[in-house]
Structure formats: structure tokens, C-alpha cells
């Protein structure tokens, strides 16, 4: 999160125009791309590497929920640090991206593959950058939401539901729980 905070402060007014030798249709604010790193950081921070079969009373669920929400709030704050004094992207767009990338990374951690928690957020972001725009038009398609610098109500609701589902799955059926194994087997 420290690295994301520094990158946000240093590159908050910058935009990405090229992806290697591929020129993007529209420049994308760095602040819209940093949430991929922050979201993966949140997901990895939520991984229980010990994998101990511990009892799961209500207070541990509350602790897991507080842990996920705390890391997510920290990610939102550090991503938006570079936003102050810049009109590059909105706070809502940055927050939407953090929630979306966190949900994707947390889902992979929940499935038991924390080492590849980075793959869905980064794969989706690269796909949006390369293929997310309509031909012969500026802007991005509806499915490339992480590239859009404004948030619609539909995007906010959809991303909120995805994030809530990932958090609830993580809180109520953590990796290694018997319930999660039953769900994945059926």
C-alpha cells in the first residue's frame, strides 16, 4: 500500500497513452490503473497462509469482515491520494476500480489460489486496455468499466454487489472451511 500511495502521489497527474508498442485509443489516467495493484494487495493481505483448522465463532467472522473492509478502505485512500489537485479521474471511479479488483482477487484467494490472485485483475485490465473500445470511436465499451473516468449508477451497483458477494463468501466460508469445500464439490 505504501508503494501504491507513493505512485499515486508521484504519477497522479499522469496518463498512459501506450501499452508497449500498442497505442491506446484514449489516454488512461494512472489513477485508474493503480487500483489493480491495490486490489490485489487487499486480497493477498486477506490470505491465511497457515491454513490451520480453527473454530469459526461469530467473533472471528466479525474480525475477518473488519480485516477485509479495513484493507479495502486503506486501498481506496492510498489510490485517491494523487487525486487531490488533479482532474485526472473521479474519486468514485478510483473507488469503483479498487472494489472491482479487490472482489476479483478476493474470489481467487477464497478459491484457494492466493499465488495467482493478481491474474484476474491484471488480465481484465489489460483486456480492457487492448480491446475495450468501440471501433472508430473515442472512449471505452460498457464492459471496460475500469478505463472509464466517471461512474454510473449501474456500475456502482454492479461492482458493489460483486464486492459484497466476495466479502461475504470470504467472511462466512473462509478458505479451508468445511462449508466452502461442500459448496465447491457440489
Amino acid at each position: 500500500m505504501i508503494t501504491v500511495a507513493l505512485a499515486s502521489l508521484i504519477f497522479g497527474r499522469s496518463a498512459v497513452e501506450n501499452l508497449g508498442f500498442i497505442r491506446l485509443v484514449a489516454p488512461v489516467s494512472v489513477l485508474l490503473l493503480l487500483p489493480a495493484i491495490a486490489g490485489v494487495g487487499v486480497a493477498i493481505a486477506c490470505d491465511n497462509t497457515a491454513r490451520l483448522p480453527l473454530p469459526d465463532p461469530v467473533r472471528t467472522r466479525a474480525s475477518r469482515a473488519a480485516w477485509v473492509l479495513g484493507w479495502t478502505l486503506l486501498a481506496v485512500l492510498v489510490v485517491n491520494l494523487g487525486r487531490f489537485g488533479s482532474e485526472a479521474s473521479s474519486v468514485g471511479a478510483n473507488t469503483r476500480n479498487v472494489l472491482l479488483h479487490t472482489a476479483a482477487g478476493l474470489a481467487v484467494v477464497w478459491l484457494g489460489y492466493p499465488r495467482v490472485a493478481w491474474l484476474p485483475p491484471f488480465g481484465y485490465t489489460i483486456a480492457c486496455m487492448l480491446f475495450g473500445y468501440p471501433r472508430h470511436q473515442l472512449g471505452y465499451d460498457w464492459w471496460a468499466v475500469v478505463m472509464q473516468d466517471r461512474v454510473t449508477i449501474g456500475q456502482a451497483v454492479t461492482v458493489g454487489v460483486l464486492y459484497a458477494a466476495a466479502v461475504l463468501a470470504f467472511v462466512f466460508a473462509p478458505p479451508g472451511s468445511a462449508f466452502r469445500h461442500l459448496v465447491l464439490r457440489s
Side-chain angles (χ1 to χ4, degrees):
M1 291 302 162
I2 292 170
T3 304
V4 173
L6 289 173
S8 178
L9 288 170
I10 294 169
F11 302 110
R13 296 180 184 199
S14 302
V16 176
E17 296 178 0
N18 299 318
L19 185 62
F21 59 87
I22 300 171
R23 186 151 188 74
L24 299 177
V25 171
V28 178
S29 171
V30 170
L31 294 179
L32 289 174
L33 302 176
L34 284 177
I37 299 168
V40 170
V42 171
I44 290 173
C46 294
D47 179 40
N48 176 11
T49 56
R51 304 277 185 244
L52 298 173
L54 300 173
D56 196 27
V58 173
R59 67 179 177 266
T60 59
R61 292 183 196 129
S63 297
R64 273 195 304 274
W67 185 258
V68 173
L69 296 175
W71 275 104
T72 303
L73 179 61
L74 179 63
V76 167
L77 291 174
V78 299
V79 164
N80 283 308
L81 278 177
R83 167 76 178 89
F84 301 109
S86 170
E87 295 298 323
S89 63
S90 68
V91 172
N94 297 341
T95 302
R96 172 202 61 210
N97 290 359
V98 168
L99 294 179
L100 182 62
H101 292 306
T102 299
L106 197 57
V108 174
V109 168
W110 182 79
L111 289 170
Y113 301 103
R115 289 180 181 86
V116 293
W118 59 272
L119 195 56
F122 286 105
Y124 174 65
T125 302
I126 297 297
C128 290
M129 291 174 84
L130 295 178
F131 309 112
Y133 52 89
R135 295 225 179 254
H136 310 296
Q137 294 179 12
L138 286 178
Y140 288 91
D141 280 330
W142 64 270
W143 61 269
V145 296
V146 295
M147 298 295 124
Q148 299 170 6
D149 57 358
R150 299 289 176 239
V151 181
T152 65
I153 298 291
Q155 290 172 356
V157 169
T158 304
V159 169
V161 166
L162 290 172
Y163 176 75
V167 169
L168 289 173
F170 180 78
V171 168
F172 288 104
S177 72
F179 177 75
R180 188 179 76 83
H181 289 296
L182 285 175
V183 170
L184 291 178
R185 285 184 192 163
S186 55

